[in-house]
Amino acid sequence: MHFTKMEGCGNDYIYINGFVENVRNPEKLAVAMSERHFGVGADGLVLILPSEIADFRMRMFNLDGSEGEMCGNAVRCIGKYVYERGLTKKQNVSLETLGGIKYLQLQIKNEIVEQVVVDMGEPILKAEDIPVLSKQQPVLEETLILLDKTFCFTCVSTGNPHAVTFLDDVENFAVEKYGALAEVADIFPNKSNIEFAQVKNRNQIRMRVWERGSGETLACGTGACATLVAAVLHGYTERKAEILLTGGTLTIEWNETDNHIYMTGPAAFCFDGVWLRDKE
C-alpha cells in the first residue's frame, strides 16, 4: 500500500490516496502505521477520497484509531497533495470533512503550493453544539478542577471541540499531566482538544495543545483557530494574530464581516513509502 508522509507546522500525518488504494479498516491501520517504533510514525492517518458534494473528501484518524471531525493542518496538506500530485489543477478547492465543507485557496508559485488559506467557517459557540455541558452561552469561563489546579476554559468548536485556557507561562507548563485529564473530563461528552495559551501581545499568542486521541502535538490548526476566537472574546488580541505553535506559526483571522475564520499556513511533503505489513 503506497502512502505519503506530510506535515503542517510539525503536525505529521500519513496520507493515503483513496482514489487508488482501498483501506478496509482505517482505525486499525492508523494505530499500526502511526506507531513511531514499529510503524511509520505520525500523529495519525488521513484518507483522501472522492466526494459527491465537494472536490474531495477527507477522513482523519488519530493515532489511537479514533476518527476526528477535522484537522486544519491536514486540510492544508491535502490542498498541496491534490494539486502537486495532479489530482486537480484548481487553485480553489472544496473539501468535505465531518466538520463540514472547507474551502481552500492555494497560493502557488512555479507550480508549487507554498501556502494554503483555509476558510474554516464560523466558530461554534453554543454549548450543546460544541459540545460541552455548561449553562454559559458562550462558554467563556467554565471552571474545571484538575488535581491541584483550577482552570477556566473557553470552549469553541472549529470543526472539532476545543477548550482553551490562558496561562502566564505556557513553556514550562505540564501539558501532558493536565491535558490528559482535561480531555476526558465529564463536561466534554465527546472529549475535547485542550489548548494552553499565553498571550504575548495583541498580535501574537503562544499555544501548546493536547489533542484528543493523540496527546501533545507540535501543532493543531483547528486549535489555533479556537484559541484566536477565545482571545478575541476576552479582548486579549486583535481579530488577526499569529499563533506560535511548537512546530511553526499560523496566521489566523476571525473576519468581522462574514464571521468566518481564515487560517493561513504551510504544508510540506516528507517522503513517500510502501506499507509492507498486512493491509487493513
Side-chain angles (χ1 to χ4, degrees), residues 26-27 30 45 47 49 57-70 97-98 160 190 212-213:
E27 295 87 354
L45 173 72
L47 306 181
L49 302 161
R57 179 166 68 99
M58 175 184 88
R59 294 186 70 191
M60 64 83 59
F61 298 86
N62 299 306
L63 58 81
D64 67 354
S66 61
E67 185 168 7
E69 295 94 333
M70 244 289 289
T97 78
L98 289 180
N160 295 324
N190 296 340
R212 178 184 56 169

Side-chain angles (χ1 to χ4, degrees), residues 156-183:
V156 182
S157 173
T158 51
N160 295 324
H162 293 276
V164 184
T165 188
F166 293 94
L167 308 172
D168 293 329
D169 180 13
V170 74
E171 301 294 348
N172 298 303
F173 186 75
V175 167
E176 181 175 0
K177 178 180 179 180
Y178 295 100
L181 294 173
E183 174 194 352

Side-chain angles (χ1 to χ4, degrees), residues 55-115:
D55 294 320
F56 300 95
R57 179 166 68 99
M58 175 184 88
R59 294 186 70 191
M60 64 83 59
F61 298 86
N62 299 306
L63 58 81
D64 67 354
S66 61
E67 185 168 7
E69 295 94 333
M70 244 289 289
C71 174
N73 291 311
V75 166
R76 297 197 317 279
C77 286
I78 287 176
K80 185 176 181 70
Y81 185 104
V82 297
Y83 186 86
E84 293 189 20
R85 294 296 169 89
L87 297 182
T88 185
K89 278 302 174 185
K90 292 183 176 182
Q91 295 189 22
N92 293 284
V93 176
S94 59
L95 180 66
E96 178 189 355
T97 78
L98 289 180
I101 295 178
K102 306 303 174 186
Y103 297 93
L104 291 61
Q105 179 186 350
L106 311 182
Q107 297 182 348
I108 299 166
K109 184 177 181 180
N110 298 324
E111 293 301 301
I112 299 297
V113 178
E114 294 191 327
Q115 288 202 115

Side-chain angles (χ1 to χ4, degrees), residues 202 228 232 237-241 252-256 259:
R202 292 196 61 82
L228 187 277
V232 171
T237 65
E238 305 299 330
R239 296 182 74 97
K240 183 176 182 179
I252 309 297
E253 179 182 6
W254 185 13
N255 189 281
E256 195 166 7
N259 200 41

Side-chain angles (χ1 to χ4, degrees), residues 1 16 18 21-27 29 45 47 59 280:
M1 178 178 293
I16 294 178
E21 301 284 1
N22 180 29
V23 180
R24 297 188 302 273
N25 190 336
E27 295 87 354
L29 186 63
L45 173 72
L47 306 181
R59 294 186 70 191
E280 302 298 341

Side-chain angles (χ1 to χ4, degrees), residues 3-257:
F3 68 87
T4 299
K5 176 81 174 285
M6 300 184 74
E7 59 89 10
C9 291
N11 198 191
D12 59 337
Y13 285 89
I14 299 157
Y15 294 79
I16 294 178
N17 182 349
F19 288 81
V20 297
E21 301 284 1
N22 180 29
V23 180
R24 297 188 302 273
N25 190 336
E27 295 87 354
K28 185 177 179 181
L29 186 63
V31 173
M33 294 188 76
S34 297
E35 215 286 326
R36 295 188 184 272
H37 298 284
F38 298 101
V40 177
D43 290 326
L45 173 72
V46 175
L47 306 181
I48 304 171
L49 302 161
S51 171
E52 294 182 355
I53 58 175
D55 294 320
F56 300 95
R57 179 166 68 99
M58 175 184 88
R59 294 186 70 191
M60 64 83 59
F61 298 86
N62 299 306
L63 58 81
D64 67 354
S66 61
E67 185 168 7
E69 295 94 333
M70 244 289 289
C71 174
N73 291 311
V75 166
R76 297 197 317 279
C77 286
I78 287 176
K80 185 176 181 70
Y81 185 104
V82 297
Y83 186 86
E84 293 189 20
R85 294 296 169 89
L87 297 182
T88 185
K89 278 302 174 185
K90 292 183 176 182
Q91 295 189 22
N92 293 284
V93 176
S94 59
L95 180 66
E96 178 189 355
T97 78
L98 289 180
I101 295 178
K102 306 303 174 186
Y103 297 93
L104 291 61
Q105 179 186 350
L106 311 182
Q107 297 182 348
I108 299 166
K109 184 177 181 180
N110 298 324
E111 293 301 301
I112 299 297
V113 178
E114 294 191 327
Q115 288 202 115
V116 180
V117 181
V118 184
D119 180 349
M120 300 289 286
E122 299 186 50
I124 297 170
L125 301 176
K126 198 172 182 180
E128 55 264 38
D129 294 336
I130 294 173
V132 55
L133 302 180
S134 174
K135 295 181 180 179
Q136 297 184 50
Q137 299 288 2
V139 186
L140 295 182
E141 293 185 345
E142 188 62 42
T143 301
L144 195 60
I145 299 173
L146 302 172
L147 300 177
D148 57 332
K149 293 185 181 296
T150 300
F151 298 86
C152 287
F153 284 105
T154 299
C155 299
V156 182
S157 173
T158 51
N160 295 324
H162 293 276
V164 184
T165 188
F166 293 94
L167 308 172
D168 293 329
D169 180 13
V170 74
E171 301 294 348
N172 298 303
F173 186 75
V175 167
E176 181 175 0
K177 178 180 179 180
Y178 295 100
L181 294 173
E183 174 194 352
V184 298
D186 291 340
I187 64 170
F188 303 126
N190 296 340
K191 301 184 181 180
S192 183
N193 299 279
I194 310 297
E195 281 74 37
F196 300 93
Q198 179 181 350
V199 177
K200 294 291 189 179
N201 53 58
R202 292 196 61 82
N203 299 294
Q204 284 188 328
I205 303 171
R206 172 69 171 106
M207 186 197 93
R208 292 173 66 189
V209 58
W210 179 269
E211 285 203 59
R212 178 184 56 169
S214 292
E216 184 175 8
T217 60
L218 298 183
C220 177
T222 58
C225 294
T227 296
L228 187 277
V229 170
V232 171
L233 290 174
H234 284 284
Y236 297 155
T237 65
E238 305 299 330
R239 296 182 74 97
K240 183 176 182 179
E242 291 183 332
I243 310 300
L244 311 177
L245 307 165
T246 304
T249 299
L250 293 174
T251 300
I252 309 297
E253 179 182 6
W254 185 13
N255 189 281
E256 195 166 7
T257 302

